[in-house]
Amino acid sequence: MNTIQLRYFASIREAIGTGAERLSTAAPTLAALRDELIARGGAHAQALARGKAVRVSLNQSMADESAALADGAEVAFFPPVTGG
């Protein structure tokens, strides 16, 4: 089991109702972590649902969901942003 720090930003934070949480997980990758959070149901399932545009970073760097998780990692979920 790895203990990780989760951070949620913008509309995802609003939907889930918190900006951060610590989690013990056996998920080996970011994709498995996202699926684990979706399986919680409720706000997590809606905010992180497959098919929704969600960006993820691992230790403050943009990451593909195939990236491996390690103990102490920081994972952030946020919607795509546009600028103008």
Side-chain angles (χ1 to χ4, degrees), residues 2-77:
N2 293 319
T3 300
I4 61 169
Q5 179 70 35
L6 290 171
R7 298 198 184 278
Y8 306 107
F9 291 93
S11 60
I12 296 173
R13 178 185 64 228
E14 293 169 13
I16 291 174
T18 187
E21 65 178 303
R22 290 190 78 68
L23 177 72
S24 291
T25 181
T29 64
L30 293 175
L33 173 64
R34 184 174 175 184
D35 290 339
E36 180 181 321
L37 294 170
I38 290 168
R40 286 181 171 181
H44 283 86
Q46 290 179 342
L48 300 172
R50 293 291 174 191
K52 278 199 151 183
V54 174
R55 304 289 307 261
V56 63
S57 71
L58 178 60
N59 298 323
Q60 300 184 4
S61 295
M62 295 306 300
D64 183 89
E65 287 195 8
S66 64
L69 281 176
D71 192 47
E74 179 188 78
V75 177
F77 291 100

